[in-house]
Amino acid sequence: MTLDEGHYAVPKGMLAAVVTHLVCERPIDPRPAPPGIRLVRETRMPTATYRDLFRLIGRDWLWTSRLMLGDDDLMSIIFDPDVELYVLDSDNGRLGMVELDFRDRDNPQIAFFGLAPNAVGRGIGPWLMATVQRMMADQGARIIRLNTCTLDAPQALGFYLKHGFRAERREVQLFPDPRAVGVLDEGAAPSVPLL
């Protein structure tokens, strides 16, 4: 469906976001790893641990897609042999996560790429993005896909554009506000009013 120019009412308890779909056709140059940081592949992470990490990274950006899944549905994704889950670890705990989705080999994507609040602004993101792009290219990805939305961190889109991605298309997405349905607490995403 194509929307005409104008304003559209968003029902109470719902959110609207503009999603930008991005593609990267050439990985950026490798970067040295920040000291004390490790990217670790997870193959059997318990769903509760996954949700805790997902919430830690995405709470203020209203990441909810995985929080709304039951255990069986979540496990079918994160334990799929064509989905790779990586945790960014440090001596002081987990700092982020990356989830790579190769289920469509012609259109592999970075399904999730996020840092914990205490990892932002420390130079970790550029190294992580370069590392992830190289890993995907080494597995045969000619084009890497990723999307972000207007509810994401304000610097997210600029970061992706600076690190080898270009915008391909946009869409508007409406979905239940996770705070209104109890998936996230009412204090999540304080920059987005709860209506």
Side-chain angles (χ1 to χ4, degrees):
M1 173 176 111
T2 302
L3 297 175
D4 293 325
E5 183 176 335
H7 292 87
Y8 296 86
V10 177
K12 186 175 177 130
M14 298 289 284
L15 290 170
V18 176
V19 180
T20 301
H21 295 263
L22 303 142
V23 294
C24 175
E25 295 157 322
R26 199 178 87 219
I28 59 173
D29 293 332
R31 311 273 172 101
I37 303 294
R38 300 172 298 283
L39 190 59
V40 179
R41 172 96 187 261
E42 291 281 349
T43 56
R44 297 306 298 172
M45 178 182 280
T47 55
T49 304
Y50 177 94
R51 285 189 182 97
D52 287 344
L53 183 59
F54 195 86
R55 214 176 265 112
L56 170 71
I57 295 164
R59 178 181 175 270
D60 286 339
W61 318 119
L62 298 175
W63 286 16
T64 56
S65 59
R66 297 300 168 76
L67 300 178
M68 307 212 21
L69 296 175
D71 282 353
D72 290 343
D73 291 334
L74 179 58
M75 286 189 302
S76 74
I77 295 170
I78 64 174
F79 298 149
D80 186 297
D82 290 322
V83 173
E84 298 179 7
L85 175 62
Y86 294 88
V87 172
L88 191 62
D89 250 337
S90 76
D91 295 338
N92 297 318
R94 293 188 162 159
L95 296 177
M97 69 177 283
V98 174
E99 191 176 309
L100 308 179
D101 188 341
F102 290 97
R103 289 177 292 180
D104 178 349
R105 284 285 165 180
D106 293 330
N107 294 290
Q109 67 174 322
I110 301 172
F112 292 98
F113 180 97
L115 297 177
N118 64 337
V120 175
R122 295 174 42 190
I124 297 169
W127 165 77
L128 183 59
M129 181 54 75
T131 301
V132 167
Q133 288 179 357
R134 178 57 49 205
M135 288 166 37
M136 294 183 80
D138 288 348
Q139 291 191 51
R142 292 188 305 277
I143 295 176
I144 300 168
R145 298 189 180 280
L146 171 93
N147 67 56
T148 188
C149 77
T150 50
L151 295 174
D152 207 346
Q155 66 272 27
L157 181 57
F159 173 86
Y160 296 136
L161 294 173
K162 182 179 175 182
H163 291 89
F165 286 87
R166 66 174 172 79
E168 182 179 54
R169 64 186 175 90
R170 280 190 208 96
E171 64 188 6
V172 175
Q173 179 184 20
L174 266 73
F175 59 98
D177 188 322
R179 299 163 300 182
V181 295
V183 174
L184 289 176
D185 62 277
E186 289 187 7
S191 64
V192 180
L194 175 61
L195 302 175

